[in-house]
Amino acid sequence: MDKQNLKQAGLKATLPRLKILETLENNPDAHMSAEDIYKVFMDSNDIDIGLATIYRVLTQFESAGIVCRHRFEDGRAVFELDHGKHHDHMVCMQCGDVAEFVDDVIEQRQREIAQKFGFQMTDHCLYIYGICSNCQSQSK
Amino acid sequence: MDKQNLKQAGLKATLPRLKILETLENNPDAHMSAEDIYKVFMDSNDIDIGLATIYRVLTQFESAGIVCRHRFEDGRAVFELDHGKHHDHMVCMQCGDVAEFVDDVIEQRQREIAQKFGFQMTDHCLYIYGICSNCQSQSK
DNA sequence: ATCAATGCAAAAACTTTGCACTGAT
DNA sequence: ATCAGTGCAAAGTTTTTGCATTGAT
């Protein structure tokens, strides 16, 4: 994902946009909120990008199909690069960690259910919420 | 759902709580936000319940297992009565209609996936988005 | 040079909280 | 009478917007 992709999407290759892309690429497993990305910039003192810009850019990226926006149960909106392959999410309610998975049985079953209802499926998402193994072992 | 249920949950049977229950019962298919419920009260001029109370009551109801909280695409939290049976949602992107369904194969599969990841599942939800049969036949 | 993009601050949208008053038991 | 429950207003969160300035082409 680079300048070319941005231009194809009709977006100028500005520093904020490139930095946001770079940050998402550097954290492929972290589903980051706008604030998360902002904090990364704050910590590396040489980048000065406003939070409003991050929100704007992420929304543009979503429209352009560059990122996916998810709304987890705790209300925060998080983003990940859209690599084109569908997957579902398992969210730890304690540490916020997100694992991704795909299950062919479930995928198939969803198609069958939609068909049974005469429903023309355009998208679907499955969230499993709970406590990840890491947090379980750390709990007192 | 009545005074008895509230008392069982350790909640006093107050007017706001009874009215909120009643409103959710009167709109079994509408997944309502706190604001939606507030508007119902505003419109029927004889009920005067503060928005903060509605938020508080809904959160208590959620803890008590009386209602389920869902997050819709726009980020608002919506609620529906919890009839005890878990179900998933199929949302028509055209008419906004919501159909509910349960599939034992998917339910089982989710448990297996969570277990495989050592994940202690507390909740899960599946949304299928698309166009319902009704809208398909009406499309021009 | 042009017009999109940004930063900042202000506001909007949604939700929670502090506190004094009210009401169910 | 008691203490949970409520209303209101104020504050907290998260996200959006207005506007003057900056920057990519």
Side-chain angles (χ1 to χ4, degrees):
Chain A
M1 195 71 67
D2 62 354
K3 296 190 179 191
Q4 287 313 95
N5 300 80
L6 287 177
K7 287 179 190 158
Q8 282 166 23
L11 299 171
K12 287 183 181 170
T14 61
L15 189 75
R17 298 211 254 237
L18 291 170
K19 283 294 173 190
I20 289 170
L21 269 186
E22 188 186 309
T23 303
L24 288 173
E25 272 164 356
N26 289 346
N27 299 276
D29 297 327
H31 292 65
M32 305 182 82
S33 68
E35 197 95 26
D36 291 336
I37 294 172
Y38 184 63
K39 281 189 199 120
V40 171
F41 295 155
M42 297 301 273
D43 291 349
S44 79
N45 303 345
D46 53 56
I47 310 172
D48 191 33
I49 296 175
L51 187 53
T53 299
I54 297 175
Y55 275 106
R56 265 186 298 232
V57 168
L58 286 171
T59 302
Q60 292 159 346
F61 281 4
E62 188 191 16
S63 303
I66 295 171
V67 303
C68 288
R69 183 196 300 250
H70 297 282
R71 301 235 182 223
F72 290 148
E73 208 164 71
D74 59 5
R76 63 204 167 110
V78 296
F79 299 83
E80 65 178 330
L81 284 177
D82 186 350
H83 291 294
K85 53 177 174 49
H86 165 81
H87 55 258
D88 291 315
H89 294 89
M90 195 150 36
V91 185
C92 178
M93 299 308 278
Q94 195 159 320
C95 66
D97 203 50
V98 180
E100 299 181 349
F101 66 91
V102 183
D103 184 86
D104 290 335
V105 174
I106 290 179
E107 296 299 317
Q108 173 58 23
R109 204 69 187 164
Q110 286 180 71
R111 285 191 291 271
E112 288 168 14
I113 291 165
Q115 191 168 32
K116 195 172 80 183
F117 281 80
F119 201 81
Q120 184 183 320
M121 181 163 69
T122 55
D123 194 16
H124 57 278
C125 51
L126 169 60
Y127 297 103
I128 295 180
Y129 296 101
I131 311 294
C132 72
S133 55
N134 219 357
C135 287
Q136 285 171 51
S137 50
Q138 282 170 14
S139 64
K140 58 271 109 124
Chain B
M1 197 68 69
D2 61 353
K3 296 192 178 191
Q4 287 312 96
N5 300 82
L6 287 178
K7 287 180 190 160
Q8 281 164 25
L11 299 170
K12 286 183 180 169
T14 62
L15 189 75
R17 298 211 254 237
L18 291 169
K19 283 294 172 189
I20 289 169
L21 270 186
E22 187 186 309
T23 302
L24 289 173
E25 272 165 356
N26 289 346
N27 298 277
D29 297 327
H31 293 64
M32 305 182 84
S33 68
E35 197 94 26
D36 290 336
I37 294 172
Y38 184 63
K39 281 189 200 119
V40 171
F41 294 155
M42 297 301 273
D43 291 349
S44 79
N45 302 345
D46 53 54
I47 310 173
D48 190 33
I49 296 175
L51 187 52
T53 299
I54 296 175
Y55 276 107
R56 265 186 298 232
V57 168
L58 286 171
T59 302
Q60 293 160 345
F61 281 4
E62 188 189 16
S63 303
I66 295 171
V67 303
C68 287
R69 183 194 301 250
H70 297 281
R71 294 265 167 196
F72 269 12
E73 69 291 339
D74 62 357
R76 288 163 61 135
V78 296
F79 299 83
E80 65 177 333
L81 282 177
D82 185 349
H83 291 293
K85 50 177 176 51
H86 165 82
H87 56 258
D88 291 315
H89 294 89
M90 197 150 37
V91 185
C92 178
M93 301 307 278
Q94 196 160 318
C95 66
D97 203 49
V98 181
E100 300 181 347
F101 67 91
V102 184
D103 184 85
D104 290 335
V105 174
I106 290 180
E107 297 299 317
Q108 173 58 23
R109 203 72 185 161
Q110 287 180 62
R111 286 192 290 270
E112 288 168 14
I113 291 166
Q115 190 167 33
K116 195 172 79 183
F117 281 81
F119 202 83
Q120 184 181 318
M121 181 162 70
T122 55
D123 195 14
H124 57 277
C125 53
L126 168 59
Y127 295 99
I128 294 181
Y129 296 104
I131 311 294
C132 71
S133 56
N134 218 0
C135 287
Q136 286 171 50
S137 51
Q138 283 172 12
S139 65
K140 58 268 118 120

